[in-house]
């Protein structure tokens, strides 16, 4: 399960390290098997076969320079969350770097987005570097495989991120069903990407000074903050309506 | 110059790769010497000694897995920008990870902060991993070595970042002379840190879901955006004052 093709043929991927394996278990992902170094305890996972490897074996199997003594083979989910069922999504279009995808997943989870959409042509979300950079967010934030036409057809207001043009991310309307797209590290989004509005993060210096993971982090938190403010205001009005006496009872 | 102690004894550090060396030169840093692999051209740097290394040597000297054929020994600046001369700074207190410090420098540059203050006990800003993660921002955003008492004494309004308490980063007043502190990856800022106000980035999930580099990115852009808005409004009022007829002439 080291290469993408075999990962997807087997519908399983490798998770390395006690912390990440425990997060997969805690988030309800099903483990195919668990392998440990001689001096390492497995993660508690009832019903999962556990194999202790001979000394030195796990270091040769692991993708990291400093394997932590536990490796799990984790099953990919049988299905995905439907695009129709989510309101605020980040879309990564042909993202190339596994570490960037991991950071994006982490930011999306922290900001409370409903899902991350990964277009075909992006790095595999089950790449070991992605799993590691996500700090376990991969197990908690839903990911959806879809192309940009699917996103458009699902009825989102589609915001395309540009390094140089568009509405400031501070001024754009983040309410309602919104899909915000970030593009490839080297090429960004093509000019003919089907978007409803282009947005940009104003910044100093060169276009490259803000990379895609940083941009996604800023956008996720801007969206979350603006929507939180809107909800609070709506909540205040709602409370008034439910409490016509205004006595808080 | 591979270890921190020898780097600082020599007042010089190593920069690896054509792109980063060219950025150091473009930003006006002085190079002590340049070393290249047999098949690689040096970066244009008038007056800098250039040594071509025998085949296979540069790979053994470089800290990266994939050295790019050019290594420069770069002189540390003789002095630093004074704390009194800057208005908006990010302070990293005992930051431990070189990659995080590099990302923080990159975000600070992109958001247009005046400087980054690094407290004693933090990872060396001239660590090769920091230089690389900063994508050259180290050469362009001023860095200042100072402790938290120095920052306080320099007259900043000091904002301390907490994972769990304080004013929302959206609601805090970012105007005037502001120093915002982010703490160590594992421990954050001590409760007795001398701050004028605690701030927090509201987020979903566990405290660890937002790491220090992501937090710094969000804070830098929030500060920059709010100050930009304030400047624009001040600019409008200023224009009124200078143009009492209101005719734009």
């Amino acid at each position: 399960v080291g290469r993408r093709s075999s990962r997807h043929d087997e519908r399983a991927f490798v998770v390395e390290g006690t912390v990440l394996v425990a997060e997969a278990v805690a988030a309800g992902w099903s483990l195919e098997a668990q392998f440990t170094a001689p001096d390492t305890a497995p993660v508690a996972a009832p019903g999962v076969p556990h194999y202790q490897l001979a000394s030195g074996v796990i270091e040769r199997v692991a993708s990291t320079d400093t394997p932590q003594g536990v490796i799990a083979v984790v099953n990919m989910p049988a299905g995905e969350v439907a695009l129709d069922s989510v309101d605020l999504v980040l879309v990564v279009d042909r993202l190339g770097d596994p570490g960037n995808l991991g950071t994006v997943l982490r930011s999306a989870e922290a900001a409370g987005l409903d899902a991350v959409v990964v277009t075909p042509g992006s790095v595999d979300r089950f790449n070991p570097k992605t799993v590691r950079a996500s700090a376990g967010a991969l197990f908690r934030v839903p990911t959806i495989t879809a192309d940009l036409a699917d996103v458009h057809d699902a009825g989102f207001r589609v915001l395309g991120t540009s390094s140089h043009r568009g509405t400031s991310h501070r001024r754009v309307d983040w309410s309602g069903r919104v899909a915000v797209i970030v593009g490839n590290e080297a090429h960004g989004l093509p000019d003919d990407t089907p978007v409803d509005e282009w947005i940009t993060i104003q910044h100093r210096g060169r276009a490259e000074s803000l990379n895609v993971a940083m941009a996604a982090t800023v956008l996720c938190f801007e969206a979350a903050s603006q929507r939180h403010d809107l909800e609070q205001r709506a909540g205040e009005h709602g409370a008034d309506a439910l409490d016509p006496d205004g006595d808080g009872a």
Side-chain angles (χ1 to χ4, degrees), chain A residues 156-179:
Chain A
F156 291 95
R157 195 154 44 82
V158 179
L159 307 178
T161 307
S162 166
S163 63
H164 58 282
R165 62 170 172 154
T167 308
S168 162
H169 76 293
R170 302 281 287 189
R171 307 245 179 275
V172 75
D173 176 9
W174 288 102
S175 67
R177 291 189 71 226
V178 173

Side-chain angles (χ1 to χ4, degrees), chain A residues 123-172:
Chain A
V123 63
D124 183 14
R125 78 194 90 160
F126 300 110
N127 181 302
K129 288 184 186 166
T130 302
V131 179
R132 198 161 58 247
S134 86
L138 173 74
F139 305 123
R140 293 181 296 265
V141 64
T143 52
I144 299 171
T145 307
D147 62 25
L148 297 182
D150 296 332
V151 172
H152 198 266
D153 292 347
F156 291 95
R157 195 154 44 82
V158 179
L159 307 178
T161 307
S162 166
S163 63
H164 58 282
R165 62 170 172 154
T167 308
S168 162
H169 76 293
R170 302 281 287 189
R171 307 245 179 275
V172 75

Side-chain angles (χ1 to χ4, degrees), chain A residues 93-101 121-124 127 183-186 212:
Chain A
D93 182 39
R94 293 167 302 129
L95 206 68
D97 181 79
N100 281 343
L101 180 54
S122 295
V123 63
D124 183 14
N127 181 302
N184 173 269
E185 288 87 349
V212 66

Side-chain angles (χ1 to χ4, degrees), chain A residues 16-18 34-42 50-51 53 58-59 62 66-71:
Chain A
E16 298 174 9
T18 303
Q34 204 175 170
F35 304 88
T36 59
D39 52 349
T40 309
H50 165 226
Y51 306 94
L53 300 176
I58 208 163
E59 289 80 0
T66 53
Q68 293 175 279
V70 176
I71 285 184

